[in-house]
Amino acid sequence: MRKIILVASGKGGTGKTSLTAAVGTALAGLGKKVLVVDGDCGLRNLDLVLGMSELAVFTFADVARGTVPLSRAAAAHPTTDGLYLLTAPADLPDLTASQMRSLAEQTEQDGYDYVIIDGPAGLPAELSLYAQIATQGIVVTMPDPASIRGAERVARRMEDECIMRIRLVVNRVRPRLVRYGVAANIDDAIDTSGLQLLGIIPEDEDVIACAGSGKSVVSYKKSGAAQAYRNIARRLEGERLPLMRL
């Protein structure tokens, strides 16, 4: 059954876009057909992280309005089979619930196993737009108090929008700082957000290096953040895997 996942965060800079790109790539590597959608209108950069800035022509609004069918609009990744992209429009589109449902229906008709929407940071109007079609959510936070507080706020907003299954990813974790109490620990993030933990991603400079060059860390690395992204993809597929030990 097709899953539509809204990825959100309470504040910017948590690594939400990197997670969307990497988990989408990892799911495609498992043989799934994946559509990643840039939902950050006006500040779109998912195409840059995926190395697809010259390939992403049509937006999700074009498909929702019926301007172009999804089969034509979705840009295929040049090196990762099964991974496709829809970019965001320059401004927040005025779309109806019916138009958003049309977009969702086309993803099912075209055989996508996963649709991952890289939502905007904070609590903007776009969240309500994407919540109309999302079947589950992922909240991305870093292990610092400001990020965790923001994660709690966006989690409650997603619940208010009737997204029933929401899980937490703690990103850019430095195990040594957590152990010495300099950074908030993972239990703090879970308790404050009230969400089930989906994954822990360690701080990894390779994520920044790959994103800057449009390469996927999942395709080029075997350990660190790359392995954490793969594990998240496998958990989304229903596998039970141990979490990173701190």
Side-chain angles (χ1 to χ4, degrees):
M1 182 178 178
R2 188 249 300 116
K3 300 175 182 177
I4 302 178
I5 303 172
L6 173 58
V7 182
S9 63
K11 63 186 292 292
T14 62
K16 174 176 51 59
T17 299
S18 294
L19 179 134
T20 299
V23 172
T25 301
L27 285 166
L30 295 175
K32 304 300 175 181
K33 188 176 182 181
V34 182
L35 177 67
V36 290
V37 180
D38 195 334
D40 197 353
C41 302
L43 296 174
R44 55 190 182 184
N45 58 13
L46 183 57
D47 60 321
L48 295 174
V49 174
L50 288 168
M52 298 179 66
S53 57
E54 296 182 359
L55 300 174
V57 176
F58 297 104
T59 73
F60 70 84
D62 294 325
V63 178
R65 289 177 178 138
T67 305
V68 61
L70 178 61
S71 57
R72 180 183 168 201
H77 193 276
T79 60
T80 302
D81 292 339
L83 182 63
Y84 298 82
L85 169 68
L86 272 182
T87 191
D91 299 301
L92 177 62
D94 183 18
L95 296 175
T96 66
S98 176
Q99 288 172 322
M100 291 301 293
R101 285 195 298 271
S102 173
L103 171 60
E105 289 166 1
Q106 288 187 65
T107 65
E108 187 162 26
Q109 292 166 3
D110 287 3
Y112 286 98
D113 299 297
Y114 286 88
V115 179
I116 307 178
I117 303 171
D118 179 25
L123 302 171
E126 289 99 313
L127 279 181
S128 296
L129 186 69
Y130 308 136
Q132 296 179 69
I133 61 172
T135 60
Q136 56 185 280
I138 295 175
V139 174
V140 184
T141 185
M142 295 187 298
D144 64 86
S147 294
I148 293 172
R149 178 181 292 179
E152 188 275 333
R153 292 185 63 195
V154 77
R156 302 292 83 77
R157 170 70 176 276
M158 292 170 80
E159 289 171 348
D160 290 343
E161 296 286 356
C162 299
I163 300 176
M164 305 313 299
R165 189 177 193 191
I166 310 167
R167 287 178 284 183
L168 180 72
V169 170
V170 185
N171 192 22
R172 303 186 65 178
V173 174
R174 299 184 181 184
R176 189 190 314 181
L177 295 185
V178 173
R179 285 196 296 270
Y180 287 112
V182 178
N185 64 40
I186 306 304
D187 289 338
D188 292 337
I190 296 171
D191 292 344
T192 302
S193 67
L195 301 178
Q196 178 186 357
L197 186 63
L198 177 63
I200 301 169
I201 303 171
E203 180 74 75
D204 192 334
E205 292 180 354
D206 288 324
V207 174
I208 299 174
C210 286
S213 61
K215 298 178 180 178
S216 171
V217 69
V218 171
S219 300
Y220 287 88
K221 301 291 291 187
K222 299 296 183 184
S223 59
Q227 186 57 52
Y229 290 133
R230 291 190 199 94
N231 288 345
I232 289 172
R234 291 168 63 188
R235 292 188 190 103
L236 290 172
E237 277 289 280
E239 291 189 47
R240 293 189 177 184
L241 301 173
L243 294 161
M244 183 181 82
R245 297 182 64 180
L246 301 179

